[in-house]
Amino acid sequence: TPSPSYALVKGNAPPPPRKKSSGDNEKKCTNLEECQEMAIIIETQELEKVKAKALPSFIAPGGSRYQNMREGDNGEDVVKNGDEVTIKYKVLKLGKRSYDGLSGEGTVVFSRGYGLEDDEQGKNKNESFTATIGSSNLIRALSDGMINMKVGGVRRISVPPQMGWEKPTPECDGGPGGRGSGGDVKVDYVVIPTATMVATEICMDKAKSPFPNSYAEQRRMAQRFDQSLIIEVELLKINQS
């Protein structure tokens, strides 16, 4: 770094003095064990921050857990079993920092109504999804978790595999909360990934809705349907019969 007098002779302003940052006084680790301990402390502090901002969760009549991200309008109409509803939704896989399975940032597996998918561009940009609550082809988590929602409300609903897209057979029911054997598929995945994908798809119930439209969405779903997911739903309308 040139001295201030040399910098002025050359026509350049002298370099500003270095400011002390807030991190200068922080303790720095000196070995692997200390660094690991500090990493755990930092992760715990970040988790506490997430918990402090988290919304309360509730349990629906059928056992689904949910959070109200937005309550909706002040009208008296709420979703009941048998109602036909129009919604927008995102099926999400949450990150590691989600301590309760509902809060935090998530990766979109597939969606409808938010313009995130390739088939939602142009004339299909404002596309939505319509279904009947309690219908046999609707995933149970959605039929259960949307009860008592108001129009304009946004709700996050937990989707364990057994209340989502996993077929209810002992061979398939080995995911989180499952009662079947499972397991073998996970072992195969390490050795023969392609064989596992075929075996896994046998357990994915493609008759359940909502279901991804495009090939790319379906491939993402084939890798996630046997895990705990959430569906974030915005209620657009309760259709009058």
Side-chain angles (χ1 to χ4, degrees), residues 150-228:
K150 293 183 177 182
V151 173
V154 178
R155 182 174 287 186
R156 276 190 171 189
I157 304 167
S158 64
V159 188
Q162 300 77 24
M163 296 185 73
W165 294 268
E166 186 177 75
K167 291 181 179 178
T169 62
E171 295 78 17
C172 295
D173 194 12
R179 293 171 292 179
S181 58
D184 294 340
V185 170
K186 297 299 182 185
V187 174
D188 289 345
Y189 182 77
V190 178
V191 181
I192 313 173
T194 53
T196 300
M197 187 62 69
V198 174
T200 302
E201 287 187 349
I202 292 174
C203 293
M204 183 166 66
D205 193 345
K206 298 180 181 180
K208 291 293 184 183
S209 63
F211 195 77
N213 292 336
S214 71
Y215 177 79
E217 293 173 285
Q218 290 174 17
R219 300 313 296 170
R220 291 198 298 268
M221 189 59 181
Q223 298 171 12
R224 296 283 185 267
F225 80 95
D226 58 346
Q227 304 172 16
S228 291

Side-chain angles (χ1 to χ4, degrees), residues 90-91 99 102 115 149 184 209:
K90 299 177 195 172
V91 175
Y99 72 96
L102 286 170
M149 271 192 80
D184 294 340
S209 63

Side-chain angles (χ1 to χ4, degrees), residues 40-77:
I40 293 173
I41 293 172
I42 292 171
E43 186 174 356
T44 302
Q45 291 172 342
E46 291 297 322
L47 185 59
E48 291 301 322
K49 290 179 183 178
V50 172
K51 287 183 178 180
K53 297 179 181 178
L55 297 169
S57 61
F58 305 92
I59 299 177
S64 296
R65 295 173 55 249
Y66 67 88
Q67 282 181 343
N68 286 319
M69 313 293 287
R70 189 172 69 218
E71 289 290 346
D73 62 28
N74 295 322
E76 295 183 0
D77 290 340

Side-chain angles (χ1 to χ4, degrees), residues 9-195:
V9 169
K10 298 295 289 184
N12 299 318
R18 180 178 177 273
K19 294 181 179 179
K20 287 188 176 182
S21 65
S22 58
D24 287 349
N25 297 324
E26 292 180 1
K27 181 182 176 182
K28 293 182 172 59
C29 56
T30 57
N31 56 56
L32 179 60
E33 186 175 346
E34 281 187 6
C35 291
Q36 289 175 334
E37 289 178 357
M38 288 182 65
I40 293 173
I41 293 172
I42 292 171
E43 186 174 356
T44 302
Q45 291 172 342
E46 291 297 322
L47 185 59
E48 291 301 322
K49 290 179 183 178
V50 172
K51 287 183 178 180
K53 297 179 181 178
L55 297 169
S57 61
F58 305 92
I59 299 177
S64 296
R65 295 173 55 249
Y66 67 88
Q67 282 181 343
N68 286 319
M69 313 293 287
R70 189 172 69 218
E71 289 290 346
D73 62 28
N74 295 322
E76 295 183 0
D77 290 340
V78 296
V79 173
K80 303 179 296 296
N81 193 46
D83 283 346
E84 185 182 80
V85 296
T86 299
I87 63 173
K88 299 196 299 186
Y89 67 83
K90 299 177 195 172
V91 175
L92 304 169
K93 175 63 179 176
L94 289 179
K96 294 181 180 179
R97 288 189 177 178
S98 177
Y99 72 96
D100 61 354
L102 286 170
S103 306
E105 298 295 324
T107 302
V108 177
V109 181
F110 71 99
S111 64
R112 184 59 49 191
Y114 290 92
L116 302 177
E117 310 298 345
D118 291 340
D119 62 342
E120 289 187 294
Q121 306 306 314
K123 65 180 181 180
N124 296 325
K125 190 172 183 180
N126 296 319
E127 193 168 310
S128 57
F129 173 74
T130 298
T132 300
I133 299 298
S135 170
S136 60
N137 66 336
L138 189 66
I139 61 170
R140 284 196 297 127
L142 202 54
S143 285
D144 181 41
M146 285 192 66
I147 296 296
N148 294 326
M149 271 192 80
K150 293 183 177 182
V151 173
V154 178
R155 182 174 287 186
R156 276 190 171 189
I157 304 167
S158 64
V159 188
Q162 300 77 24
M163 296 185 73
W165 294 268
E166 186 177 75
K167 291 181 179 178
T169 62
E171 295 78 17
C172 295
D173 194 12
R179 293 171 292 179
S181 58
D184 294 340
V185 170
K186 297 299 182 185
V187 174
D188 289 345
Y189 182 77
V190 178
V191 181
I192 313 173
T194 53

